[in-house]
Amino acid sequence: MRLRVGIGVSLGVVAGLVLAYELKSGTHASPALAVVASAAHVRDAAAAPSEGEDKSPSLHAPTGKLASLKCADAATIVKEVRAELAFVPSEPTALEIGAATKDWLDPHGNWAVAPDAAPFAAIDADAPALLADISRGSDCAAALRIGRKLAAWVDGERVRFDARAKTAHGDANLALSDALDVAARDAGSVVMTATGLTDELADRAGTLTSTLGAHVDKYVQAARNRYFPEMTAEAWSEVVLAAAVRGWVEQVDAHGAWAPYGEEAAVHDVDLDEDAPSRLWGRATRTLLGARIDDAPLAPLAVGDVILDVSGMLLAGLAVEQLDELALTAADTGEAFDVVVMRDGDRAPRVVHIDPEGPAPSNGSTHPFDLVSETIPFGSGEVALVTIPDIYDDLGELFSRALARAHNPKLVGIVLDLRDDGGGSTEGAIDTLGAFLPGARLFPMRSRSGAVETDHAPVPAIDEQWTGPVATLVNGGTASAAEMLAGALAAYRRGPSVGTPTYGKGCAQEYVDDDAHVGLLRVTTLLFSLPDGSPVQRVGLTPAIAFPFHEADGDREAKVPRSPPTWTGPDVRDRAWTTKAAQFAWPSPAGHVGPCKEEAVCRALALLGDGRTPGRTASRTQR
């Protein structure tokens, strides 16, 4: 299965805490190093597939086991990525591979990331050989050497845990919520030693066992088995290989990723899909025995519930990627199922029956059923300001509904608010452009071979087209597919952009079932330009009308390590469209704009209709 995607950029700062952190689809929280996430983190959504292909990658239920790879499979995946990339990558250093391997290897922080963990130095020392292992797949001797260190270290920590848990009874008055939680590490660093973490886990486990008895025994045991798994050196070596491959893919491709089946949500943000599955929760926090729901529970679950068991899958000790996969796959069968939870005040777990056909999440669906729009007085008429927070797979349909609601005799223009829109589905952007540029040739896309393909906007029904003035609001958070939308309108002189220079992500990714048949790859296979050939990658769009919207940060694609190179494409514009620019000019508001919910928007819109001709927003100067 191969699907083209337009990866966007997540601008929210997410702390990837090792033991107590937010679980939310669409952001990749570092599973071990507690690194603060930034705009380099990615979101993506699938474009329309070729005929005969599934619409989006299938998700698999998590196995509860650590991600692992056979030696030959690791080499197969690395070879595949090298062949598929749209550019020649620079190879990561041994230091980078060592750090990335430890990061992906250690979801809890006490195997390889904490400096007092014995395998910490072993991974760094063997990183050059480990890089060779995943490149050639001959004997993977380095992975086995590290595996022996891991087996011995984790076995010792298990003994330590068992001994301390038997004698740790804790405070009888300790609140249940405190005993369930696991202490977080400071964002940006690991400040607790591995042995210190083992002791804290044992103390909490002992407190729970002595307080709640047999009610929680099996969940405590599950936590123990996942925090300190009993595995051979050979089995650990395969875990090392999987971690090394995950790290390597992200090092050579700034927007790439690999995940084994059962963790595909780490690669593919299904929340942007047209047919996104129901979630058990929106955000959750890992605890010793499961996951505490922070928002958007699927009824009758409630915020604060600590989920211990979903249809027989115990959650204690699961990595964040598998917890997120479980939140997405549990209700995807459409059949009712049981969830075991602990609620505040409970002295024993309770069973909650879930009916996927029941009520929608009680708070915070990640996919809007309708786009938010605002009607703003503009001269003698009015403007519809349509906010597009993400480029959803079905954005064309969502926008069509918004346009139908906005239509009235006083409507003189449409403004698309793309500020802080990190992108998403290329197909969603293309479908939406059909309302403004029906049938127009759009984005040249170049593959590794040098071949260039070009997209066309669809031709929707007449009542779903807008033939009047249009404009976009953009800023540094406007990225990827959102830049496609704003850039195409500008390149065809169909409508200007107002704001500040955009992020500059002009590359597209594909989902690929890897050649080893063990997981899902996301690989940058295409570089794109605007219809007039203007580059986007590492350059972004410079608005025709500058306006100082607030900038959340200074992150740009050009600053992302190993981001793909800039590419200038051919001018593929349909000349029939480029001669129509004058008919799309904005009328003068004669100084009468607003009121607006956001005062800055009114000031920005006042700049439209002052006699400026809509111009392209792309800059050919690399920042």
Side-chain angles (χ1 to χ4, degrees):
M1 176 181 68
R2 179 178 297 274
L3 302 171
R4 189 173 65 197
V5 302
I7 279 186
V9 182
S10 175
L11 292 171
V13 176
V14 178
L17 299 180
V18 178
L19 289 171
Y21 51 82
E22 193 172 68
L23 312 179
K24 184 177 180 182
S25 176
T27 57
H28 166 60
S30 168
L33 282 180
V35 175
V36 175
S38 69
H41 291 146
V42 298
R43 277 190 318 218
D44 59 76
S50 302
E51 186 176 355
E53 291 183 325
D54 294 332
K55 183 149 186 143
S56 62
S58 298
L59 297 181
H60 297 72
T63 64
K65 298 179 180 178
L66 293 170
S68 62
L69 277 176
K70 300 291 185 184
C71 187
D73 290 342
T76 295
I77 294 169
V78 167
K79 179 180 179 181
E80 181 180 8
V81 172
R82 284 198 175 110
E84 294 287 347
L85 277 173
F87 55 97
V88 178
S90 57
E91 289 295 324
T93 65
L95 181 63
E96 290 169 331
I97 282 295
T101 300
K102 288 183 289 189
D103 185 15
W104 276 112
L105 171 67
D106 198 341
H108 310 303
N110 60 348
W111 299 342
V113 176
D116 65 322
F120 183 99
I123 292 172
D124 285 341
D126 247 334
L130 182 60
L131 183 57
D133 279 353
I134 63 174
S135 297
R136 64 172 182 262
S138 55
D139 57 9
C140 292
L144 184 57
R145 287 193 295 270
I146 297 169
R148 292 192 185 104
K149 281 278 189 182
L150 277 163
W153 170 255
V154 175
D155 286 350
E157 289 302 288
R158 187 188 318 107
V159 171
R160 183 186 185 95
F161 174 90
D162 289 344
R164 186 168 180 120
K166 289 178 182 178
T167 59
H169 301 295
D171 182 351
N173 296 317
L174 182 67
L176 177 60
S177 59
D178 291 336
L180 284 170
D181 278 346
V182 178
R185 300 196 173 185
D186 289 349
S189 64
V190 176
V191 297
M192 185 185 295
T193 64
T195 53
L197 176 59
T198 297
D199 289 347
E200 180 160 340
L201 290 170
D203 289 344
R204 290 172 183 267
T207 297
L208 286 168
T209 299
S210 63
T211 303
L212 302 178
H215 293 303
V216 297
D217 280 351
K218 71 175 180 179
Y219 306 112
V220 171
Q221 186 66 23
R224 177 254 196 202
N225 292 343
R226 289 201 178 113
Y227 279 106
F228 311 102
E230 297 186 48
M231 293 166 46
T232 66
E234 290 75 13
W236 274 113
S237 74
E238 294 177 2
V239 174
V240 171
L241 289 171
V245 167
R246 283 181 111 146
W248 180 87
V249 172
E250 293 181 351
Q251 289 294 326
V252 300
D253 183 358
H255 302 290
W258 173 82
Y261 293 138
E263 299 183 20
E264 296 100 312
V267 171
H268 171 51
D269 185 358
V270 298
D271 288 324
L272 297 184
D273 281 353
E274 181 176 356
D275 55 350
S278 298
R279 279 181 160 272
L280 281 187
W281 61 71
R283 290 191 303 271
T285 300
R286 280 205 298 170
T287 73
L288 176 62
L289 299 189
R292 186 185 63 237
I293 298 178
D294 296 327
D295 74 9
L298 186 66
L301 294 172
V303 171
D305 282 352
V306 176
I307 302 183
L308 309 179
D309 180 328
V310 177
S311 298
M313 170 65 74
L314 304 188
L315 275 62
L318 282 182
V320 57
E321 291 78 22
Q322 294 202 22
L323 281 170
D324 198 39
E325 193 92 357
L326 186 64
L328 288 160
T329 58
D332 200 29
T333 64
E335 299 178 358
F337 59 98
D338 289 333
V339 174
V340 180
V341 307
M342 290 287 289
R343 284 188 175 157
D344 192 30
D346 285 354
R347 306 301 291 178
R350 67 171 69 188
V351 175
V352 176
H353 190 67
I354 304 291
D355 182 358
E357 301 302 322
S362 60
N363 177 35
S365 172
T366 56
H367 187 299
F369 294 105
D370 284 305
L371 298 174
V372 175
S373 60
E374 176 186 356
T375 299
I376 299 173
F378 189 89
S380 59
E382 62 186 31
V383 167
L385 176 69
V386 182
T387 299
I388 302 178
D390 295 287
I391 307 299
Y392 296 96
D393 189 57
D394 57 342
L395 181 62
E397 180 182 344
L398 294 173
F399 177 74
S400 178
R401 295 207 298 261
L403 181 61
R405 292 194 304 273
H407 259 305
N408 71 78
K410 296 185 67 176
L411 187 65
V412 298
I414 300 286
V415 177
L416 307 180
D417 189 351
L418 299 173
R419 292 174 296 165
D420 294 329
D421 182 335
S425 168
T426 58
E427 189 68 13
I430 290 168
D431 282 352
T432 305
L433 285 167
F436 306 102
L437 295 165
R441 288 165 59 86
L442 294 176
F443 309 105
M445 293 195 171
R446 192 194 72 180
S447 65
R448 177 71 167 268
S449 68
V452 176
E453 59 180 81
T454 303
D455 291 300
H456 288 73
V459 182
I462 295 298
D463 62 353
E464 296 179 355
Q465 297 179 26
W466 173 250
T467 57
V470 63
T472 58
L473 306 183
V474 300
N475 66 357
T478 306
S480 190
E483 290 175 290
M484 283 181 152
L485 188 49
L489 293 174
Y492 270 106
R493 298 171 63 82
R494 180 66 178 85
S497 287
V498 183
T500 56
T502 62
Y503 183 83
K505 183 182 176 295
C507 55
Q509 287 66 42
E510 287 183 309
Y511 297 123
V512 182
D513 283 315
D514 65 50
D515 288 344
H517 309 295
V518 294
L520 184 69
L521 272 167
R522 184 179 66 220
V523 186
T524 299
T525 58
L526 297 167
L527 301 175
F528 70 81
S529 73
L530 297 183
D532 65 352
S534 297
V536 177
Q537 177 62 20
R538 300 178 64 87
V539 175
L541 316 176
T542 298
I545 302 175
F547 184 83
F549 285 122
H550 172 71
E551 294 291 308
D553 53 57
D555 288 329
R556 293 294 187 273
E557 175 77 3
K559 297 180 181 180
V560 175
R562 292 191 172 88
S563 64
T566 301
W567 179 63
T568 300
D571 187 340
V572 300
R573 290 176 295 175
D574 295 313
R575 300 306 167 189
W577 277 104
T578 59
T579 61
K580 298 179 181 180
Q583 75 184 61
F584 303 126
W586 277 82
S588 172
H592 301 295
V593 178
C596 302
K597 294 179 180 177
E598 182 184 346
E599 193 273 334
V601 169
C602 271
R603 290 190 284 117
L605 296 186
L607 300 176
L608 296 169
D610 64 354
R612 303 180 189 216
T613 301
R616 70 183 180 205
T617 60
S619 168
R620 292 180 181 271
T621 304
Q622 183 170 331
R623 295 194 300 277

